[in-house]
Amino acid sequence: MVEPSPGKGLGVFAAHTLETGSIIMREAPVITIKPPKDTPGTGYPLPVISQLVHAEYNRLSEAQQQDVLDLTYSVLPTDIQRYGDNLDILGIIFRNNAYDTGTEIGLFPKIARINHSCRPNAAYYWNEKLKRRFVYATREIEAGEEIFVSFISLLLTREERQKKLARYGFVCTCPACSQHPVDLHDSDRSRVDIEQALRAFSAQMNLTAPTHPSGVRKARKNAESSLLLAGLVEKEGLADYYAQTYRIAAISHARIGDWEKATVWANEGYKRRVMEDAESPWTMEMYELTRRLVEEWEAELKGTRST
């Protein structure tokens, strides 16, 4: 349900308790455009965006047009300097509220009412088959609690996040951004560490077990580090990265032959992928990984029993 949100205008609130993985919204875009060629450092040229949006807007019913015009938007000082009297509000509304839909950009008036948090309780995905954007709960959300998603990458410091969010015309005061300075410093460090760890692990995501003693030692250390990474992501409440880090933990433990832990983490990653989009290639990949690890674990158990 859409209600006033303190300091944020309007927001979306849970009408009843939502379990983890519950679908909160599904919506088709009322306007879609093919993105024009972007300008490095400035993004898509607003006049071109406005022209494309107006062509689609004119095809909408009066009620749909009003839903679009009622959306919140922010005019930046740079917009006024750059476009002056030629500034088009409809283009601004689209720029502030639209989402990528694969090869296009779409506007979803209902989903656009959901506010941002750097520690969100919901996430979203585009379903190409159904041509719908889905929003789902990444943790249990109590009745009356406001629903939040993230507008930007969360693996940034508070200062970096605020710079990214400036284009939306607000200063974020979410729990992650307004915590005690000591806790904020720790949180910033954690997010930077997570980003660096994800990049470092990306080159090691294969099931080939090392054979050289130094490689074995490194693999064991990586398995330990993968658990620390998963714990850090969970502590920060960065549900957008749960599946990715669980996959890392699964593969890291598979590489040292710890099939039980590998299977458990793979299954957790698979469950998260199903929440995100049950039909996505990433979900199928996690399913196959989990199946393979279960087979390895079962083979190990049979070997143990036979001896």
Side-chain angles (χ1 to χ4, degrees), residues 216-278:
V216 173
R217 287 193 297 271
K218 183 178 180 181
R220 287 173 178 166
K221 184 177 180 180
N222 285 343
E224 294 174 1
S225 296
S226 73
L227 299 182
L228 295 175
L229 173 61
L232 205 55
V233 169
E234 290 174 344
K235 181 181 178 182
E236 281 296 307
L238 302 177
D240 287 2
Y241 301 91
Y242 284 177
Q244 185 178 359
T245 53
Y246 295 167
R247 177 178 180 270
I248 288 172
I251 293 176
S252 296
H253 282 83
R255 297 187 78 234
I256 61 171
D258 190 339
W259 302 112
E260 180 177 0
K261 284 185 179 178
T263 302
V264 170
W265 283 107
N267 188 53
E268 289 300 312
Y270 172 65
K271 288 191 291 185
R272 280 287 166 176
R273 288 301 189 194
V274 169
M275 290 180 200
E276 294 173 5
D277 184 352

Side-chain angles (χ1 to χ4, degrees), residues 26-300:
R26 53 172 65 84
E27 185 179 12
V30 296
I31 293 175
T32 56
I33 65 169
K34 291 281 187 183
K37 186 176 181 180
D38 65 333
T39 304
T42 60
Y44 300 124
L46 188 59
V48 180
I49 289 287
S50 296
Q51 184 179 4
L52 295 170
V53 171
H54 272 279
E56 296 300 315
Y57 175 82
N58 291 334
R59 297 188 178 99
L60 301 180
S61 67
E62 289 187 10
Q64 288 176 316
Q65 289 180 344
Q66 194 58 54
D67 286 341
V68 171
L69 294 177
D70 285 342
L71 293 175
T72 301
Y73 64 91
S74 174
V75 178
L76 304 176
T78 53
D79 294 328
I80 299 173
Q81 293 171 4
R82 186 174 302 161
Y83 304 111
D85 295 337
N86 295 320
L87 185 65
D88 181 69
I89 296 303
L90 187 58
I92 295 288
I93 290 174
F94 189 85
R95 184 188 68 184
N96 281 182
N97 293 280
Y99 289 94
D100 289 338
T101 61
T103 59
E104 297 181 315
I105 306 173
L107 183 64
F108 308 81
K110 294 183 176 64
I111 291 176
R113 291 296 184 188
I114 302 177
N115 289 315
H116 165 87
S117 173
C118 299
R119 192 173 286 157
N121 53 16
Y124 47 74
Y125 63 89
W126 169 253
N127 186 300
E128 182 64 28
K129 181 179 178 180
L130 299 176
K131 301 295 184 182
R132 298 285 190 278
R133 193 168 192 82
F134 286 72
V135 180
Y136 66 97
T138 55
R139 63 164 174 79
E140 183 177 298
I141 302 174
E142 297 180 1
E145 185 179 352
E146 185 168 2
I147 294 163
F148 294 100
V149 295
S150 173
F151 296 172
I152 60 171
S153 169
L154 297 176
L155 301 184
L156 302 167
T157 64
R158 179 185 183 276
E159 182 179 358
E160 292 169 332
R161 297 196 303 272
Q162 296 291 358
K163 289 179 181 178
K164 294 280 188 181
L165 293 168
R167 60 168 292 198
Y168 297 99
F170 69 90
V171 175
C172 185
T173 58
C174 75
C177 288
S178 58
Q179 56 190 326
H180 187 278
V182 174
D183 297 326
L184 179 60
H185 177 270
D186 291 343
S187 175
D188 281 352
R189 183 69 260 172
S190 293
R191 294 184 186 226
V192 171
D193 288 345
I194 291 168
E195 193 276 333
Q196 292 175 345
L198 292 178
R199 281 195 286 109
F201 270 112
S202 63
Q204 307 169 43
M205 290 297 96
N206 63 76
L207 294 174
T208 304
T211 55
H212 192 276
S214 63
V216 173
R217 287 193 297 271
K218 183 178 180 181
R220 287 173 178 166
K221 184 177 180 180
N222 285 343
E224 294 174 1
S225 296
S226 73
L227 299 182
L228 295 175
L229 173 61
L232 205 55
V233 169
E234 290 174 344
K235 181 181 178 182
E236 281 296 307
L238 302 177
D240 287 2
Y241 301 91
Y242 284 177
Q244 185 178 359
T245 53
Y246 295 167
R247 177 178 180 270
I248 288 172
I251 293 176
S252 296
H253 282 83
R255 297 187 78 234
I256 61 171
D258 190 339
W259 302 112
E260 180 177 0
K261 284 185 179 178
T263 302
V264 170
W265 283 107
N267 188 53
E268 289 300 312
Y270 172 65
K271 288 191 291 185
R272 280 287 166 176
R273 288 301 189 194
V274 169
M275 290 180 200
E276 294 173 5
D277 184 352
E279 299 178 354
S280 76
W282 297 278
T283 303
M284 296 302 102
E285 190 265 351
M286 281 305 303
Y287 170 79
E288 290 299 326
L289 176 62
T290 304
R291 183 185 60 78
R292 181 174 175 182
L293 295 179
V294 167
E295 291 175 353
E296 293 286 356
W297 188 18
E298 290 177 341
E300 181 184 59

